[in-house]
């Protein structure tokens, strides 16, 4: 998909259109607890998009580092829904197949979606197990905590389930797709 | 007795004594939370990040379940569930086409989604708005006490739903605590972010966020942290790995309120915390 098409797609969305009114004050970047980890903090990301660099925006780790704390959205003097726009960028990146390879969060979200697709509900132990298949080091770091949880009867080995998990899987395209993979 | 539709969310059952303490308060305060039959995961941040229609469909099913049982509001105990449901509600109310699409999908499974979507409330709202007078009367003089409590609201309870000073420094729970004889300390870390689910893949980046919250609370004289969300409780409880200082116990607000009502610590699931909480009998005044 060419950049112009992606740009049009971005600016067609009512939330994203508000990026045009950004005054580049940087309040969003200053409020963001994970700005230091981002390829481009939100202010810079918006400048790039307005310059037509949608491809850079979609490939950047920025939206994936957004932790949905909504500080930026609460403080933006132009009332730009910054965090909501990050969600839109994540969805566009997934759809266009251009999320950053080095980033681990899409794997975590997929582990979450897989578990939900299979059981209708999420069980932390199972999400961690699925995620660990791709990122074993992260699992190793959590072993001590896992043992403490086990000792307190808080490690769920049997998954949480709805009556008919297949219904939940059928309900969402995401879950339908992921459910048939497994 | 007031009956509320209850969406417990996935993290509730293995949370450190959240269910035990909520059940104990309900019994004492005559509140009935009726669990939505066959509830599903709300999708949290994951579903909305991957695909918006999926996120809407998951929440839409919960709204339909509540409507089927005749409820006009849903009570949650988790900030992520709370914000996810409110977000879905807002999106569908703003755009009738989105609501129609979800209703259509649900109809295939024999569920009806009516236009008037249920309101979403946190259990904290129920305690503050609906039963604070009952709570005040129920406060015990002879219960256990644990010291100075710092409220940690986390992100998604106030933002992006409230604007102005309350979005950054809410005080509703501190006011409730004061009414029932709990010492609440004033601090400015109440709505800083704990890292939420990013704390799993990005433990190194989220470590400083957790330390900053705990340090601010300790500096302002807090001896116990209390939370209103399973994710916040877990991150702060499991994330205090600094060996230089004694860690601060991280509780649920329902456990702290339970103690003030004279409910025994063992009935509040306090034994499930990773960092133990020490309580003592209140001295007779």
């Amino acid at each position: 998909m060419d950049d112009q098409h992606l740009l049009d797609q971005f600016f067609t969305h009512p939330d994203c259109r508000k990026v045009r009114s950004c005054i580049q004050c940087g309040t969003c970047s200053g409020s963001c607890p994970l700005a230091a980890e981002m390829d481009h903090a939100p202010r810079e990301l918006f400048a790039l998009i307005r310059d037509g660099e949608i491809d850079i925006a979609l490939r950047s780790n920025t939206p994936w580092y957004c932790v949905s704390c909504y500080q930026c959205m609460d403080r933006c003097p132009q009332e730009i829904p910054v965090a909501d726009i990050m969600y839109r960028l994540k969805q566009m990146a997934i759809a266009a197949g251009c999320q950053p390879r080095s980033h681990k969060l899409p794997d975590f979200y997929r582990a979450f979606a897989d578990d939900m697709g299979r059981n209708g509900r999420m069980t932390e132990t199972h999400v961690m197990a699925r995620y660990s298949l791709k990122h074993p080091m992260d699992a190793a770091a959590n072993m001590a905590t896992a043992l403490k949880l086990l000792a307190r009867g808080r490690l769920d080995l049997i998954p949480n389930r709805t009556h008919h998990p297949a219904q939940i899987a059928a309900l969402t395209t995401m879950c339908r797709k992921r459910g048939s993979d497994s | 007795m007031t009956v509320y539709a209850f969406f417990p969310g996935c993290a509730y059952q293995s949370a450190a004594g959240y269910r035990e303490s909520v059940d104990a308060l309900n019994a004492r305060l005559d509140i009935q939370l009726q669990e939505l039959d066959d509830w599903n995961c709300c999708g949290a941040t994951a579903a909305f990040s991957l695909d918006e229609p999926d996120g809407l469909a998951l929440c839409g099913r919960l709204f339909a379940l509540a409507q089927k049982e005749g409820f006009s509001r849903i009570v949650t105990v988790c900030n992520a569930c709370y914000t996810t449901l409110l977000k879905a509600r807002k999106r569908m109310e703003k755009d009738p086409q989105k609501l129609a699409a979800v209703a259509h999908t649900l109809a295939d499974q024999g569920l009806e989604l009516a236009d008037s979507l249920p309101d979403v409330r946190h259990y904290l709202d129920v305690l503050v708005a609906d039963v604070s007078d009952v709570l005040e009367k129920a406060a015990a003089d002879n219960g256990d006490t644990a010291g100075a409590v710092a409220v940690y609201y986390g992100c998604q309870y106030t933002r992006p739903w409230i604007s102005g000073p309350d979005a950054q420094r809410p005080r509703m729970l501190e006011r409730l605590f004061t009414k029932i004889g709990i010492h609440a300390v004033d601090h400015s870390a109440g709505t800083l972010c704990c890292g939420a689910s990013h704390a799993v893949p990005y433990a190194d980046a989220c470590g400083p966020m957790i330390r900053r919250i705990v340090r601010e609370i300790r500096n302002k004289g807090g001896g116990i942290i209390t939370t209103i969300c399973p994710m916040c409780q877990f991150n702060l409880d499991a994330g205090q790995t600094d060996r230089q200082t004694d860690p601060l116990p991280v509780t649920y607000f329902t456990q702290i309120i339970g103690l003030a009502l004279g409910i025994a610590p063992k009935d509040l699931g306090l034994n499930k915390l990773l960092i133990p909480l020490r309580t003592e009998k209140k001295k007779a005044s």
Side-chain angles (χ1 to χ4, degrees), chain B residues 242-264:
Chain B
D242 175 15
R243 308 241 161 117
Q244 309 287 313
T245 47
D246 285 339
L248 300 181
V250 186
T251 59
Y252 286 105
F253 71 116
T254 44
Q255 293 172 316
I256 296 297
I257 292 173
L259 289 175
L261 301 191
I263 299 169

Side-chain angles (χ1 to χ4, degrees), chain A residues 71-128:
Chain A
Q71 286 280 21
C72 48
M73 240 163 101
D74 183 54
R75 290 174 173 162
C76 176
Q78 293 291 82
E79 300 184 358
I80 298 169
V82 183
D84 288 345
I85 294 170
M86 294 300 166
Y87 275 90
R88 187 70 198 130
L89 287 169
K90 283 183 274 188
Q91 294 158 5
M92 283 181 68
I94 290 273
C98 60
Q99 77 263 21
R101 275 189 198 287
S102 60
H103 206 70
K104 296 190 278 185
L105 202 75
D107 289 337
F108 186 73
Y109 282 162
R110 285 203 183 91
F112 186 105
D114 276 344
D115 190 40
M116 195 173 57
R118 190 182 282 236
N119 298 307
R121 293 181 189 171
M122 180 275 294
T123 310
E124 284 120 339
T125 324
H126 292 245
V127 173
M128 276 307 289

Side-chain angles (χ1 to χ4, degrees), chain A residues 1 6 9-10 54-61 63-64 85-100 106 110, chain B residues 49-50:
Chain A
M1 214 178 290
L6 288 168
Q9 202 188 345
F10 178 85
I54 188 78
D55 188 59
I56 295 178
L58 290 178
R59 288 181 195 282
S60 79
N61 66 14
W64 299 100
I85 294 170
M86 294 300 166
Y87 275 90
R88 187 70 198 130
L89 287 169
K90 283 183 274 188
Q91 294 158 5
M92 283 181 68
I94 290 273
C98 60
Q99 77 263 21
R110 285 203 183 91
Chain B
S49 294
L50 299 173

Side-chain angles (χ1 to χ4, degrees), chain B residues 106-163:
Chain B
L106 287 167
D108 289 344
Q109 300 190 353
L111 278 171
E112 193 185 333
L113 182 66
D115 288 351
S116 54
L117 299 176
D119 198 4
V120 183
R121 299 176 77 195
H122 194 290
Y123 187 67
L124 170 59
D125 303 332
V126 173
L127 296 190
V128 168
D130 298 359
V131 299
S132 72
D133 292 345
V134 186
L135 256 176
E136 214 174 334
K137 288 193 193 99
D141 296 325
N142 59 347
D144 285 54
T145 178
V149 181
V151 179
Y152 176 68
Y153 293 90
C155 301
Q156 300 193 348
Y157 172 64
T158 56
R159 290 186 303 267
W161 313 111
I162 305 175
S163 57

Side-chain angles (χ1 to χ4, degrees), chain B residues 132-257:
Chain B
S132 72
D133 292 345
V134 186
L135 256 176
E136 214 174 334
K137 288 193 193 99
D141 296 325
N142 59 347
D144 285 54
T145 178
V149 181
V151 179
Y152 176 68
Y153 293 90
C155 301
Q156 300 193 348
Y157 172 64
T158 56
R159 290 186 303 267
W161 313 111
I162 305 175
S163 57
D166 277 352
Q168 301 291 337
R169 295 191 77 166
R171 283 291 176 271
M172 56 285 273
L173 189 50
E174 282 90 341
R175 286 194 288 270
L176 183 68
F177 277 179
T178 306
K179 271 188 182 176
I180 57 176
I182 298 165
H183 174 41
V185 298
D186 194 35
H187 68 96
S188 58
T191 65
L192 294 181
C193 179
C194 71
S197 63
H198 279 53
V200 175
Y202 303 111
D204 291 347
C206 294
M209 292 158 68
I210 294 168
R211 283 196 287 280
R212 181 178 166 196
I213 294 163
V214 177
R215 197 184 308 126
E216 160 67 8
I217 287 173
R218 193 194 306 278
N219 287 345
K220 297 290 167 65
I224 303 158
I225 300 172
T226 204
T227 62
I228 65 168
C229 163
M231 193 88 233
C232 300
Q233 194 281 335
F234 181 78
N235 278 352
L236 294 184
D237 197 7
Q240 293 183 60
T241 49
D242 175 15
R243 308 241 161 117
Q244 309 287 313
T245 47
D246 285 339
L248 300 181
V250 186
T251 59
Y252 286 105
F253 71 116
T254 44
Q255 293 172 316
I256 296 297
I257 292 173

Side-chain angles (χ1 to χ4, degrees), chain A residues 13 15 33-34 37 64-71 73-75 84 87 90-91 94 102-106 108-110 112-113 116 120-124 128 131 138 142 145 148-149 152-154 156 158 160 162-164 166-168 170-175, chain B residues 10-11 13-16 37-41 43-52 54 57-58 61 83 87 91 94 105-106 109 155-156 159-160 162-164 167-168 191-193 195-198 200-202 205-206 209 233-234 237-238 271-274:
Chain A
H13 195 279
D15 287 341
L34 287 172
E37 309 291 327
W64 299 100
Y65 265 116
C66 170
V67 66
S68 306
C69 75
Y70 296 100
Q71 286 280 21
M73 240 163 101
D74 183 54
R75 290 174 173 162
D84 288 345
Y87 275 90
K90 283 183 274 188
Q91 294 158 5
I94 290 273
S102 60
H103 206 70
K104 296 190 278 185
L105 202 75
F108 186 73
Y109 282 162
R110 285 203 183 91
F112 186 105
M116 195 173 57
R121 293 181 189 171
M122 180 275 294
T123 310
E124 284 120 339
M128 276 307 289
Y131 173 73
D138 288 355
N142 284 302
T145 305
K148 283 188 202 165
L149 292 173
R152 287 161 182 78
R154 289 174 54 196
D156 287 326
I158 301 167
N160 302 322
T162 54
H163 299 333
H164 307 287
Q167 284 185 348
I168 310 301
L171 193 58
T172 65
T173 47
M174 169 183 69
C175 294
Chain B
C10 303
Q13 80 162 16
S14 59
D37 182 43
D38 200 33
W39 58 267
N40 54 276
C41 173
T45 46
F48 270 109
S49 294
L50 299 173
D51 185 79
E52 183 177 287
D54 290 357
L58 290 165
R61 182 171 184 274
T83 273
K87 183 153 75 175
R91 295 278 157 83
K94 220 165 100 182
T105 318
L106 287 167
Q109 300 190 353
C155 301
Q156 300 193 348
R159 290 186 303 267
I162 305 175
S163 57
Q168 301 291 337
T191 65
L192 294 181
C193 179
S197 63
H198 279 53
V200 175
Y202 303 111
C206 294
M209 292 158 68
Q233 194 281 335
F234 181 78
D237 197 7
N271 56 326
K272 290 191 170 180
L273 304 180
L274 299 179

